[in-house]
Amino acid sequence: MGETFHNETIYVAVSQDVRECKSTLLWTLRNFHVKKLCLLHVHIPFSLTASSSGLEESEIDAIQESIVKTAHDSLHKYRDICTNKRVKEENVDISWFSGYSVGEGIVELIYQNNITKLVMGAAADPHYSRGMSITSRKAEYVSQHAPHSCKMWFICKGKLIKTQEGSFDLGYPSDSFSEFSSSDHKPSRGRTREEHETTPPKEHSERIVETDEASKRVRKEEPKRTKSNENKVDSDKPHPDFICPISMEIMKDPHVAADGHTYEANEIRTWFSGGHRTSPKTGARLPNHNLTPNYTLRSVINDWLLQHPNHRTD
């Protein structure tokens, strides 16, 4: 491959287990002429509480500190691998995110850092088989929810499994996959113990599925760009699902509330802080004030705005 990215940073998603991700990092260093590299890490905090574990708060804090220190030690080992491959230490950065879901954390880091080049594992190395597809739930989540502008390489045991091209169209992210396996090979649904431990709660996952369905509907209804309707598309108003029901403006940071509807994050938080316990959309009482980032809809909105640069969002 031997691609060179002089002005772009290559991001590599790594876990605390160096043995698990070392082959992915080495693949990156071997196949790209890397000038600047950033290690992407999502930290999963220790979830024990004093009441549930019977431990003292000081003991729990000590365990937390130990876990964080171990994670930092692992990241320094990854950095040593890079410097041993002649990447200057000052050109190896670390981007850290703390959350309960690895997949969501990586997607959030992609948005925060405007990442356009990402390499990550498709599965743990022991799961490798010839002609395999993505088996990691977190990798599958990232492939489905990352912005279309991010090009991604999925690696297992030092071998390229799939490439997802970065683009600004409104097609499904999976449509841009370049397959490196037979067309009739179905992805395995095997899960590692780590993925079981970091999988979001069922309620949270169901809300994300509903979010995806809404975004698919947006994509389906978005007019196709052809020579005959190109001028019409450029003058189209934004899709109704792009608009926050509270502010009536295009959303920049859409979040799904417990009523299943999507709102601009700041608007719905202001609604809750004002003492409201009902849905701004339906008026029904909400069971909770939980909010779920709608990454897919945010990606669709950003793509639409890129194709409609004259549309003001301020």
Side-chain angles (χ1 to χ4, degrees), residues 57-115:
E57 289 290 347
S58 59
E59 293 176 307
I60 294 177
D61 291 341
I63 294 174
Q64 290 278 24
E65 290 178 8
S66 176
I67 293 175
V68 171
K69 182 181 183 302
T70 301
H72 279 290
D73 289 344
S74 296
L75 291 170
H76 285 298
K77 289 179 181 178
Y78 287 121
R79 178 174 282 172
D80 289 341
I81 292 173
C82 295
T83 55
N84 288 337
K85 294 297 181 180
R86 299 183 179 180
V87 179
K88 294 181 179 179
E89 185 174 349
E90 60 268 25
N91 289 331
V92 181
D93 293 330
I94 295 173
S95 186
W96 174 290
F97 184 87
S98 183
Y100 70 91
S101 169
V102 174
E104 289 191 15
I106 292 175
V107 170
E108 184 63 30
L109 284 169
I110 292 174
Y111 277 105
Q112 288 180 1
N113 295 280
N114 295 318
I115 295 173

Side-chain angles (χ1 to χ4, degrees), residues 18-86:
V18 178
R19 293 174 300 176
E20 178 182 310
C21 296
K22 181 179 179 180
S23 61
T24 299
L25 179 58
L26 288 174
W27 181 91
T28 306
L29 297 171
R30 184 172 62 251
N31 287 275
F32 298 135
H33 300 299
V34 177
K35 182 177 181 181
K36 193 171 182 62
L37 182 143
C38 184
L39 302 170
L40 217 61
H41 179 71
V42 177
H43 172 66
I44 307 299
F46 194 54
S47 59
L48 283 184
T49 62
S51 58
S52 64
S53 65
L55 299 174
E56 299 290 337
E57 289 290 347
S58 59
E59 293 176 307
I60 294 177
D61 291 341
I63 294 174
Q64 290 278 24
E65 290 178 8
S66 176
I67 293 175
V68 171
K69 182 181 183 302
T70 301
H72 279 290
D73 289 344
S74 296
L75 291 170
H76 285 298
K77 289 179 181 178
Y78 287 121
R79 178 174 282 172
D80 289 341
I81 292 173
C82 295
T83 55
N84 288 337
K85 294 297 181 180
R86 299 183 179 180

Side-chain angles (χ1 to χ4, degrees), residues 51 94 115 119 142 187 227 244 266 276-277:
S51 58
I94 295 173
I115 295 173
V119 181
V142 173
K227 290 183 178 180
C244 172
N266 288 337
H276 297 284
R277 297 181 179 274

